[in-house]
Amino acid sequence: MEGDDDMAVEQTEHALQEGVNPVEIVKQAIVPGIERTGELWKDNVYFMPDVVLSTEAFKMAMSVVEPTLSEIETDKTGRFVMGVVAGDMHDLGKSIVIAMLTGAGFEVIDLGVDVPTEVFIEKAQSLNPDIMGVGCYMTTTMLELKDVMRKLKENGLRDKLKVMIGGVPTTQTFADEIGADAWGKDALDAAEKAKKIMGV
Ligand code: B12
């Protein structure tokens, strides 16, 4: 939370060496850490540089635990392709959602940030995901979500996958308006709804 990435790596390695279940490390330490950062940001205790430092520590800790997560998750819940809309570089929310989905047993393919609509379409075709997650973090990039939905339909892909959306300016009402299958309030909500979609 305090952005000490060396310590984040050391503590994660230490927990793994001690035999702590990697899913529990994500659920009980790494995710709560970044969620607390989000709360401190909301309460005006943390400023943007603090948030950026916390993210770096979050990512470093995740990089230690991720290889072990994919080793133990042999029985996948489903395939989830995730990306952030064009023009939007925010990736903290996406990283947390990916961590939670991985913990829930999904095979997650991360398309990254600033993803053009065409790439979402191309990946929907080539990767054949069960669910496509689209993140959007600014009011100025919300129209891109509509564009992704429209192009999925135009390319005959809409009935082949479920679409989940999320990010600060999005709401359930907006999700309904653009015809998304689900909206995730936070990472936990996202993982629960994704599991529900898969019937788990
Ligand atoms: C950190 C941050 C940054 C960092 C990003 C670092 C990074 N690696 O991501 C930096 C400093 C780089 C940054 C840059 C900018 N930012 Co900024 N940023 C933020 C800030 C403070 C926090 C966002 C965040 O990470 N929150 C914490 C995460 C954990 O929460 P979350 O994103 O909501 O995600 C949760 C849920 O939404 C959900 N979820 C998220 N994604 C998904 C996806 C799916 C599919 C589902 C189901 C659920 C889900 O689960 C997540 C976990 O619980 C917000 C303020 C705010 N209150 O949000 C502004 C904010 C988003 N930024 C803003 C702006 C304007 C910018 C800049 C344009 C600033 C500038 N002038 O340069 C640039 C944009 C660059 C670009 N093109 O994208 C504005 C957007 C305003 C608007 N129009 O809507 C905000 C709202 C700040 C403000 N009040 O003005 N930013």
Side-chain angles (χ1 to χ4, degrees):
M1 202 188 94
E2 291 172 2
D4 186 339
D5 44 7
D6 288 339
M7 166 115 55
V9 167
E10 270 166 36
Q11 295 288 327
T12 311
E13 282 173 350
H14 181 68
L16 281 175
Q17 277 154 15
E18 292 289 306
V20 182
N21 180 331
V23 178
E24 294 307 317
I25 300 177
V26 175
K27 282 188 189 161
Q28 293 188 35
I30 305 178
V31 170
I34 197 76
E35 282 180 348
R36 180 80 189 114
T37 295
E39 286 164 15
L40 289 173
W41 163 261
K42 245 185 252 160
D43 295 344
N44 297 319
V45 177
Y46 264 22
F47 296 99
M48 212 172 271
D50 302 307
V51 178
V52 173
L53 286 174
S54 292
T55 319
E56 288 311 316
F58 172 91
K59 288 182 177 170
M60 291 301 286
M62 280 306 295
S63 71
V64 175
V65 87
E66 251 157 14
T68 59
L69 280 175
S70 47
E71 269 167 33
I72 59 164
E73 297 298 346
T74 46
D75 197 13
K76 295 288 176 196
T77 312
R79 177 176 284 184
F80 199 109
V81 169
M82 175 82 145
V84 173
V85 293
D88 205 322
M89 313 294 277
H90 295 89
D91 77 346
L92 306 196
K94 172 176 72 64
S95 302
I96 300 171
V97 173
I98 288 178
M100 290 302 285
L101 289 168
T102 307
F106 278 89
E107 175 196 5
V108 187
I109 298 158
D110 185 1
L111 302 182
V113 295
D114 190 17
V115 179
T117 299
E118 293 68 35
V119 174
F120 278 109
I121 304 306
E122 190 191 303
K123 297 297 177 187
Q125 276 160 341
S126 63
L127 298 171
N128 196 23
D130 297 295
I131 305 175
M132 178 160 260
V134 192
C136 164
Y137 308 95
M138 299 192 287
T139 49
T140 44
T141 51
M142 277 173 89
L143 283 180
E144 299 294 336
L145 279 172
K146 271 191 180 168
D147 198 44
V148 173
M149 297 304 295
R150 189 167 54 81
K151 298 259 168 64
L152 280 172
K153 217 172 177 177
E154 281 174 14
N155 285 276
L157 293 161
R158 187 60 194 93
D159 298 333
K160 297 193 172 139
L161 47 76
K162 300 289 181 193
V163 180
M164 289 185 69
I165 65 158
V168 204
T170 63
T171 57
Q172 182 63 57
T173 313
F174 183 71
D176 293 341
E177 193 185 309
I178 65 170
D181 297 291
W183 169 72
K185 176 168 65 80
D186 53 35
L188 199 64
D189 191 39
E192 273 165 11
K193 285 178 178 162
K195 282 198 282 184
K196 202 170 162 204
I197 286 175
M198 298 307 297
V200 178

